[in-house]
């Protein structure tokens, strides 16, 4: 829809007015960015973005990501003006208040049209890279008729300054994601002041050096913006559009300064801005004519959407496409049944990272949704199977991404893929480097994104690489993130069960903490004819071995330490001390069980002993303050694994005397 500038200017001013009024009313928020980018956003939404407010989940919509999430009033204004069901004007009036979907920063689970959460600077753009990867991947499978959309990002100086930007644009460059276009709010201002305080970077040169197309425009000249966006759209490389803007444009006394970034303009300046913009409407009112232009713009996407629905209805691939969008929830366990039956028949002593690779065999063979990868540790994380070809510009249908040494970029890209839909991503690195991508893991959880983190080398058991590589606090600290399931399976069968759970739990990301060292198969008895209903890990913790003598102690262990707990229990039983062994592959799932189950597994009045080769802090939750917590509350050391286990006292020999002492025996 080509509108003449005399119509576009009032439309952009509607964004400015709503933004400054909402921030003023909330007495908090960020007016500068939405006012500065109002003109660019108006051109993007009116002439380039493919969307239909009446069908916000339409699979082939363009993805619009507001990476500079502090400018949330920009997207709230756009969604309201173009006719999305929400936010309503009442929601906008309640900007930043409890119960309003107009949260301080845009949250994907609050509003349709918010494709991902924005706020942690840099991550929106990095997630957009994942969305663009998912788009190409699905296009390779389903063709232009069903998958043919672009990804548009609005990013600020902060998004480009963050380290993750380097990782993200590197991934986009090497994968030639030409349908990704980043509109940079090039306003020379961040919170502290002028960008020259902290950077002297030639950003366009950096992007160009990374395989991107770059173009500049005057972000307040509608024709010039449209020219630059058209150029970006046409270029086969990913594009950076440097939109030169004035932060807070429209606030006559404050625009261009850093004080307009994140504070209400104040009543006087709001009044001055109204005067300056010629905006006479009352707060939270948009003149009918201007609203009509916005709504007409919003309505025009319906035709493209209806045409797409027609193509889908007529497509021979329709069922496959819908199954792809439906995800893996119904499919994972059936895919593993015969594999687990094989393990019952012929037990395997393998590292759980190897067990993960083995489980991924049937999973990647049968579930086309799975797109794996690794941050340059493919041979260590064992995330690639013979069914997953490399993903790349010459094969977007590939399902193994060589992310390079970019843990944070990988995790954010996986969030983008998961939020895009049609792909269930998993990716690997060493558990100790989960800290490099921790905020993206947190964002998976906050955004309800089904991402599987394959984090191998999960303890001192990795041995000689030493304390820099030996996670100690990581498993426990990951358990602290809400809505994240942290799995630490004990053997080959538990590993398969945890994979099934990860792929069947939509809306929640998973961590699989996996050993480097071989572990004996502990399960098999009672597992014949395994099906989803028989998944013992589903309750988070379960009694693996019941006390033979009168029960005096319950040992609760995870992962590689379950074997050790079993050995300790055997020694105790030999001395007539009855000991249960509980395997706890997923504390979160255990906590979610009913009280009777929890009390049965971890009964009151019996000594409870935790065994995990990591920090003991937190285990009191399961053992009580009068329990015993075996772990490592220091950094590890460089030595072979068996030497380290002995040195740190994670062994039956070291544990049994402590239990006896505690029992007064
Ligand atoms: C990772 C991260 N660090 C810090 C912040 C706090 N913060 C929010 S906006 C901002 C300044 C961003 O500057 P810019 O992107 O240029 O936005 P503008 O001031 O131009 O609106 C900062 C430091 C954040 N949201 N995320
Ligand atoms: Mg800025």
């Amino acid at each position: 829809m080509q509108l003449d500038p005399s119509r576009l200017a009032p439309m952009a001013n509607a964004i400015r007015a709503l933004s400054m009024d909402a921030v003023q009313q909330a007495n908090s928020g960020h007016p500068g960015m939405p006012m500065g980018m109002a003109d660019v956003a108006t051109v993007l939404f009116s002439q380039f973005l493919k969307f239909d407010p009446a069908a916000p989940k339409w699979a082939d919509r363009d993805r619009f990501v507001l990476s500079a999430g502090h400018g949330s009033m920009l997207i709230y204004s756009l969604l309201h003006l173009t006719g999305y069901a929400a936010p309503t004007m009442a929601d906008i009036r309640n900007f930043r208040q409890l119960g309003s979907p107009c949260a301080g920063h845009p949250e994907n689970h609050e509003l349709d049209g918010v494709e991902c959460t924005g706020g942690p600077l840099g991550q929106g753009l990095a997630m957009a890279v994942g969305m663009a990867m998912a788009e190409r991947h699905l296009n390779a499978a389903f063709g232009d008729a069903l998958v043919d959309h672009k990804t548009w990002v609005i990013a600020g100086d902060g998004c480009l300054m963050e380290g993750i930007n380097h990782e993200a644009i590197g991934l986009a460059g090497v994968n030639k994601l030409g349908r990704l276009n980043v509109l940079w709010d090039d306003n020379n201002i961040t919170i502290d002041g002028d960008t020259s305080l902290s950077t002297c970077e030639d950003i366009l040169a950096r992007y160009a050096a990374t395989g991107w197309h770059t173009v500049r425009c005057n972000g307040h000249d509608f024709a010039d913006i449209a020219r630059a966006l058209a150029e970006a759209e046409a270029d086969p490389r990913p594009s950076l559009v440097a939109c030169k803007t004035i932060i807070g444009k429209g606030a006559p006394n404050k625009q261009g300064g850093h004080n307009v970034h994140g504070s209400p303009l104040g009543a006087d300046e709001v009044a001055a801005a109204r005067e300056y913009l010629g905006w006479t409407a009352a707060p939270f009112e948009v003149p009918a004519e201007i609203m009509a232009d916005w709504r007409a713009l919003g309505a025009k996407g319906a035709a493209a959407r209806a045409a797409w629905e027609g193509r889908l209805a007529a497509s021979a691939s329709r069922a496959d496409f819908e199954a792809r969008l439906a995800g893996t929830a119904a499919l994972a366990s059936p895919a593993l049944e015969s594999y687990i039956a094989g393990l019952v028949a012929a037990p395997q002593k393998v590292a759980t990272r190897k067990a993960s690779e083995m489980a991924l065999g049937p999973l990647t063979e049968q579930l086309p949704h799975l797109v794996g990868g690794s941050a340059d540790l493919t041979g260590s994380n064992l995330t690639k199977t013979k069914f997953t070809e490399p993903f790349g510009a010459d094969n977007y249908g590939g399902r193994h991404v060589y992310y390079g040494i970019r843990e944070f970029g990988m995790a954010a890209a996986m969030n983008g893929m998961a939020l895009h839909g049609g792909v269930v991503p998993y990716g690997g690195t060493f558990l100790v480097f989960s800290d490099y991508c921790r905020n993206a893991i947190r964002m998976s959880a906050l955004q309800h994104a089904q991402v599987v983190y394959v984090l191998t080398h999960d303890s001192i058991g990795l041995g000689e690489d030493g304390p820099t590589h030996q996670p100690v606090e990581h498993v426990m600290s990951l358990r602290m993130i809400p809505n994240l399931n942290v799995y630490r399976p004990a053997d080959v069968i538990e590993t398969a069960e945890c994979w099934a759970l990860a792929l069947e739990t939509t809306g929640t990301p998973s961590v699989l903490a996996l050993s480097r060292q071989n572990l004996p198969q502990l399960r098999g008895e009672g597992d014949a004819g395994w099906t989803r209903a028989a998944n013992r890990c589903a309750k988070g913790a379960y009694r693996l071995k019941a006390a033979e003598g009168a029960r005096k102690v319950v040992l609760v262990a995870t992962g590689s330490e379950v074997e050790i707990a079993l050995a300790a229990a055997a020694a105790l039983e030999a001395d007539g001390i009855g000991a249960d062994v509980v395997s706890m592959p997923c504390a979160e799932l255990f906590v979610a069980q009913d009280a009777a189950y929890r009390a049965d597994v971890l009964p009151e009045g019996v000594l409870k002993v935790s065994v995990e080769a990591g920090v003991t802090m937190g285990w009191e939750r399961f053992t009580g303050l009068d329990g015993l917590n075996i772990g490592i509350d220091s950094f590890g050391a460089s030595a072979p694994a068996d030497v380290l286990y002995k040195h740190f006292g994670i062994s039956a020999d070291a544990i049994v005397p402590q239990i006896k002492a505690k029992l007064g025996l």
Side-chain angles (χ1 to χ4, degrees):
M1 185 163 75
Q2 294 285 350
L3 282 174
D4 67 67
S6 66
R7 307 267 293 277
L8 288 174
M11 291 169 75
N13 285 341
I15 297 173
R16 292 191 168 93
L18 285 177
S19 299
M20 69 179 183
D21 288 340
V23 172
Q24 189 63 26
Q25 169 124 334
N27 198 25
S28 84
H30 302 77
M33 186 271 172
M35 295 179 79
M37 283 297 276
D39 298 328
V40 173
T42 301
V43 173
L44 173 64
F45 273 64
S46 62
Q47 295 171 43
F48 293 90
L49 193 73
K50 179 171 77 169
F51 71 109
D52 180 3
K57 297 285 188 205
W58 168 26
D60 199 35
R61 68 193 181 280
D62 282 358
R63 302 305 195 265
F64 170 64
V65 171
L66 185 68
S67 190
H70 57 280
S72 55
M73 269 312 303
L74 181 71
I75 193 165
Y76 300 151
S77 302
L78 288 162
L79 297 178
H80 178 74
L81 291 166
T82 55
Y84 283 77
T88 63
M89 195 61 93
D91 295 332
I92 289 178
R93 281 176 182 272
N94 276 324
F95 176 51
R96 292 184 156 238
Q97 306 309 307
L98 195 63
S100 172
C102 298
H105 293 80
E107 308 286 355
N108 70 311
H109 49 92
E110 293 280 4
L111 287 169
D112 287 339
V114 175
E115 303 288 357
C116 64
T117 291
L121 296 176
Q123 280 193 68
L125 197 163
M127 287 190 272
V129 171
M131 293 178 193
M133 290 167 72
E135 192 271 346
R136 282 297 84 187
H137 180 68
L138 294 173
N139 174 272
F142 297 105
D144 290 347
L146 298 186
V147 184
D148 180 19
H149 55 272
K150 304 197 167 74
T151 305
W152 299 89
V153 181
I154 287 183
D157 299 298
C159 294
L160 273 53
M161 205 182 284
E162 288 286 354
I164 191 176
N165 187 254
H166 174 68
E167 301 184 20
I169 73 166
L171 269 177
V174 73
N175 288 307
K176 299 190 167 66
L177 301 175
R179 301 159 76 81
L180 172 66
N181 298 309
V182 175
L183 316 185
W184 166 33
D185 180 14
D186 179 14
N187 63 14
N188 296 87
I189 289 287
T190 67
I191 292 179
D192 277 353
D194 197 276
T195 47
S196 63
L197 289 170
S198 56
T199 181
C200 63
E201 185 173 289
D202 181 343
I203 288 173
L204 267 56
R206 175 165 67 90
Y207 273 69
T210 312
W212 284 58
H213 156 254
T214 64
V215 55
R216 294 180 191 276
C217 71
N218 175 346
H220 300 303
D221 176 331
F222 295 114
D224 200 42
I225 298 165
R227 170 201 56 80
L229 296 195
E231 197 181 297
E233 208 171 33
D235 195 280
R237 295 165 290 179
S239 290
L240 177 73
V241 185
C243 308
K244 185 54 76 182
T245 62
I246 298 168
I247 190 168
K249 173 99 165 67
N253 307 301
K254 292 195 168 178
Q255 61 186 13
H258 66 117
N259 291 332
V260 79
H261 161 92
S263 315
L265 297 181
D268 290 351
E269 186 68 0
V270 168
R274 281 196 145 65
E275 177 92 32
Y276 180 88
L277 297 170
W279 189 265
T280 52
F284 306 106
E285 279 179 19
V286 178
E289 220 174 89
I290 299 173
M291 188 59 111
D293 274 350
W294 270 115
R295 290 290 154 91
L297 181 165
K300 81 187 160 107
R305 190 251 302 177
W308 179 86
E309 283 172 350
R311 291 197 297 279
L312 178 64
S315 171
S317 309
R318 177 181 180 167
D320 282 349
F321 185 77
E322 289 176 346
R324 191 71 68 90
L325 291 185
T328 54
L331 308 172
S333 288
L336 288 167
E337 283 172 9
S338 64
Y339 163 67
I340 291 177
L343 296 173
V344 171
Q348 304 277 329
K349 178 174 183 171
V350 293
T352 49
R353 63 180 172 138
K354 180 70 183 172
S356 167
E357 181 190 45
M358 289 158 61
L360 279 169
L363 289 170
T364 54
E365 182 181 16
Q366 297 176 51
L367 278 52
H369 318 67
L370 292 175
V371 175
S374 169
D376 203 47
L377 289 168
T378 297
S380 297
N381 304 142
L382 302 178
T383 46
K384 187 175 182 316
T385 75
K386 67 178 176 189
F387 304 106
T388 58
E389 294 291 316
F391 173 93
D394 55 353
N395 182 17
Y396 287 125
R399 294 162 62 204
H400 184 81
V401 183
Y402 289 110
Y403 285 102
I405 307 96
R406 300 185 179 103
E407 295 82 8
F408 197 6
M410 171 177 75
M414 291 199 294
N415 281 337
M417 288 185 216
L419 295 171
H420 179 281
V423 171
V424 176
Y426 66 93
T429 183
F430 289 150
L431 175 60
V432 80
F433 300 131
S434 62
D435 288 337
Y436 273 54
C437 54
R438 186 175 172 98
N439 199 270
I441 299 175
R442 181 176 194 271
M443 292 292 281
S444 308
L446 177 61
Q447 297 181 102
H448 310 165
Q450 190 185 9
V451 173
V452 184
Y453 293 93
V454 180
L455 303 179
T456 68
H457 298 59
D458 70 347
S459 75
I460 54 164
L462 67 86
E464 294 86 340
D465 271 343
T468 57
H469 282 54
Q470 291 162 354
V472 176
E473 73 278 26
H474 297 76
V475 168
M476 193 53 89
S477 78
L478 287 164
R479 289 188 183 120
M480 295 196 293
I481 298 179
N483 191 39
L484 174 68
N485 286 341
V486 180
Y487 296 97
R488 191 161 184 259
D491 78 346
V492 63
I493 290 186
E494 278 199 3
T495 304
E497 291 186 334
C498 292
W499 258 114
L501 292 165
L503 296 178
E504 288 167 355
T505 311
T506 53
T508 298
S510 301
V511 163
L512 300 177
L514 303 172
S515 75
R516 172 178 186 258
Q517 72 273 34
N518 287 342
L519 302 175
Q521 182 173 322
L522 307 174
R523 288 268 303 278
E525 215 176 303
D527 290 315
W530 187 96
T531 61
R532 175 183 296 132
N535 188 328
R536 299 185 78 185
C537 292
K539 289 197 160 142
Y542 62 95
R543 187 175 296 117
L544 181 63
K545 172 210 167 289
E548 291 150 32
R551 183 172 64 189
K552 295 271 177 21
V553 58
V554 175
L555 289 133
V556 48
T558 74
S560 42
E561 286 71 69
V562 176
E563 174 192 8
I564 292 166
L566 284 168
L572 291 165
E573 298 278 2
D575 286 346
I577 303 168
D580 280 1
V581 174
V582 170
S583 177
M584 187 181 279
C586 183
E588 294 80 6
L589 292 180
F590 178 68
V591 168
Q593 301 308 310
D594 62 36
Y597 181 78
R598 283 183 279 132
D600 180 58
V601 174
L602 296 180
E604 288 291 324
V606 180
L607 174 64
K608 291 181 282 294
V609 179
S610 65
V611 191
E612 184 173 74
V615 294
T616 55
M617 181 193 228
W619 274 108
E620 308 86 345
R621 182 178 196 189
F622 300 111
T623 63
L625 293 177
D626 50 357
L628 192 58
N629 303 119
I630 307 295
I632 304 175
D633 290 309
S634 67
F635 291 116
S638 294
D642 51 344
V643 175
L644 291 174
Y645 269 88
K646 201 163 182 241
H647 175 74
F648 286 102
I650 318 276
S651 67
D653 286 350
I655 297 169
V656 168
Q658 295 178 62
I659 293 174
K660 285 184 177 167
K662 194 90 182 166
L663 291 170
L665 297 170

